[in-house]
Amino acid sequence: MIQGINHITFEVKDLERSIRFYQEVLEARLTAVGETQAYFDVAGIWLALNVGESNAPPHVSYDHVAFTIEPDDLVLLRERLHAGGWIERSDRERSPGEAPSLYLRDPAGHLLEFHTGSHQKRLQYLRIAALPIRVLD
C-alpha cells in the first residue's frame, strides 16, 4: 500500500530565514510561498515549512531526515556551509560501518543529515560485523 514518502513538513518560527536556509543548503527550489507556509522541491521530494509557535522543547533528539549525496559532494557541501555562514556539526560519533555523512540543524532546530551510504551497504556491513543485530534479508 505504501508507495513512498509523500512529503516532509517542518514547523518553523522564522519563515524567511528558513526559506533562505533550505535554498542555500539543500539548493531547494521554492515552489510556493505565503505568509505562513512555503513549499519546496528537493530532488523530487516535497518539503513544506509551516510557521508555528510550538511549545516543544529544544530539538535534542537524533530524529532526523537524511538526504543522499555523493562522497565528493560532502567536501563541497561542507565548504558551502562554512562560506554561507551555516555551520555544520557532527552530533554523534560514527561507528565503523557507517558511511561518511554530515549533520546540521536548520534554523528551527530540525536535525538534517547528508549521507553518502545506502541501506544495502549498511546491511552488508551488519552481516559481517560482530554486533548484537541480526540481518533478516
Side-chain angles (χ1 to χ4, degrees), residues 7 12 15 34 51-52 55 62 67 72 74 77 82 88 93 99 118 123 128 130 133:
H7 67 277
V12 302
L15 186 62
V51 174
N55 291 324
Y62 183 60
F67 297 94
D72 290 344
L74 194 63
L77 179 60
H82 284 295
E88 140 271 335
E93 302 234 349
S118 70
L123 292 176
I128 62 170
I133 188 168

Side-chain angles (χ1 to χ4, degrees), residues 69-120:
I69 63 171
E70 294 295 323
D72 290 344
D73 291 337
L74 194 63
V75 173
L76 298 172
L77 179 60
R78 182 174 279 120
E79 291 171 1
R80 201 175 78 216
L81 290 173
H82 284 295
W86 305 109
I87 305 302
E88 140 271 335
R89 58 192 275 188
S90 178
D91 286 330
R92 66 187 193 90
E93 302 234 349
R94 308 213 60 73
S95 67
E98 293 181 296
S101 65
L102 181 138
Y103 292 87
L104 76 148
R105 293 198 184 267
D106 77 357
H110 303 106
L111 184 61
L112 305 178
E113 178 184 13
F114 301 92
H115 190 66
T116 62
S118 70
H119 188 200
Q120 289 306 315

Side-chain angles (χ1 to χ4, degrees), residues 12-24 30 32-38 40 49-51 86 107-108:
V12 302
K13 291 186 180 179
D14 185 336
L15 186 62
E16 290 303 316
R17 184 169 184 233
S18 293
I19 288 171
R20 196 177 104 228
F21 174 87
Y22 283 97
Q23 287 177 318
E24 291 180 12
L30 188 63
V33 64
E35 288 184 29
T36 61
Q37 296 179 310
F40 297 92
L49 303 179
N50 290 322
V51 174
W86 305 109

